């Protein structure tokens, strides 16, 4: 495992993003919608850095992963979501890889009646996008490597790490 981004760098960047979102959403009915499970650490730090009143909601997205890191069927579950009708929604996810997950989530939040839907991700993986949208906000751009930590997992391990690390081919 190779450390890529240290905790203090993550914290500083997340706070800057929080400040940017604070001025953007001033006076608007904001609901921050985290995408479980990978968003948990990022969401918890980001909402504490957004100093305008807002609601927090969650949805669940998963794509079956076997022993490899190949993506399988994408599933989006919105049964835990609070009412977002006429609210300004900010979707918060861990990583924009192919972008399929975020693209699907944007349209399901629009269908749920949100007044606006914007997106913020912790990481963007370079050169992987398969979709015609890009996240509105991101904290870091990373090369095409498999990363874990600060919410991101490999087969559900490593999410608790306070830093972001790359796994080597031999770890996968
Ligand atoms: P996308 O739909 O291809 O953008 O995939 C997004 C989802 O795939 C993320 O929310 C993660 O759960 C997972 N994912 C993609 N790349 C990585 C990675 O490098 N480490 C851990 N999870 C990843
Ligand atoms: Mg995920």
């Amino acid at each position: 495992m190779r450390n890529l981004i240290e905790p203090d760098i993550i914290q500083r960047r997340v706070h800057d993003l929080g400040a940017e979102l604070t001025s953007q959403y001033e006076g608007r009915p904001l609901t921050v919608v985290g995408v479980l499970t990978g968003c948990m650490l990022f969401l918890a730090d980001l909402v504490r850095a957004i100093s305008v009143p807002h609601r927090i909601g969650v949805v669940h997205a998963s794509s079956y992963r076997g022993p490899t890191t190949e993506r399988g069927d994408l599933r989006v579950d919105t049964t835990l979501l609070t009412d977002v009708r006429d609210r300004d929604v900010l979707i918060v996810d861990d990583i924009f890889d192919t972008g399929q997950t975020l693209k699907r989530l944007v349209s399901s939040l629009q269908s749920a009646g949100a007044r606006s839907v914007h997106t913020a991700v912790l990481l963007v993986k370079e050169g992987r996008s398969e979709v015609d949208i890009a996240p509105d906000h991101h904290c870091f751009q990373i090369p095409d490597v498999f990363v874990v930590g600060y919410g991101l997992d490999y087969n559900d391990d490593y999410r608790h790490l306070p830093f972001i690390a790359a796994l080597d081919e031999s770890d996968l």
Side-chain angles (χ1 to χ4, degrees), residues 48-111:
R48 283 177 289 180
I50 301 175
S51 55
V52 288
H54 58 279
R55 296 180 185 167
I56 300 173
V58 288
V59 293
H60 185 251
S62 61
S63 42
Y64 171 77
R65 278 166 198 267
T68 69
T69 57
E70 286 306 305
R71 257 172 32 94
D73 269 349
L74 174 59
R75 272 165 219 195
V76 168
D77 181 353
T78 57
T79 49
L80 291 173
L81 188 66
T82 52
D83 190 0
V84 295
R85 262 172 299 170
D86 301 322
R87 301 200 50 95
D88 291 307
V89 165
L90 178 72
I91 300 174
V92 171
D93 202 0
D94 53 0
I95 187 167
F96 185 93
D97 181 24
T98 66
Q100 301 286 358
T101 306
L102 209 60
K103 183 173 171 138
R104 172 86 74 86
L105 285 165
V106 168
S107 66
S108 47
L109 271 299
Q110 279 163 346
S111 310

Side-chain angles (χ1 to χ4, degrees), residues 10 13-14 17 42 46 121-124 137-141:
I10 298 173
R13 179 67 192 108
V14 171
L17 177 57
F42 179 38
L46 184 62
V121 297
L122 178 68
L123 304 173
V124 171
H137 306 273
H138 69 273
C139 291
F140 306 100
Q141 186 150 12

Side-chain angles (χ1 to χ4, degrees), residues 1-6 145-150 152-154 157-172:
M1 194 188 278
R2 223 162 13 94
N3 284 23
L4 270 191
I5 312 175
E6 295 301 332
V145 290
F146 194 83
V147 290
V148 295
Y150 197 65
L152 292 127
D153 74 304
Y154 174 58
D157 286 320
Y158 309 115
R159 291 193 199 274
H160 62 93
L161 299 174
F163 52 84
I164 294 163
L167 288 187
D168 295 321
E169 287 291 326
S170 58
D171 300 323
L172 300 172

Side-chain angles (χ1 to χ4, degrees), residues 125-147:
K125 227 186 252 190
E126 257 162 47
R128 294 270 305 161
S129 179
E130 297 173 356
V131 296
D132 53 3
I133 61 156
D136 298 298
H137 306 273
H138 69 273
C139 291
F140 306 100
Q141 186 150 12
I142 59 163
D144 184 8
V145 290
F146 194 83
V147 290

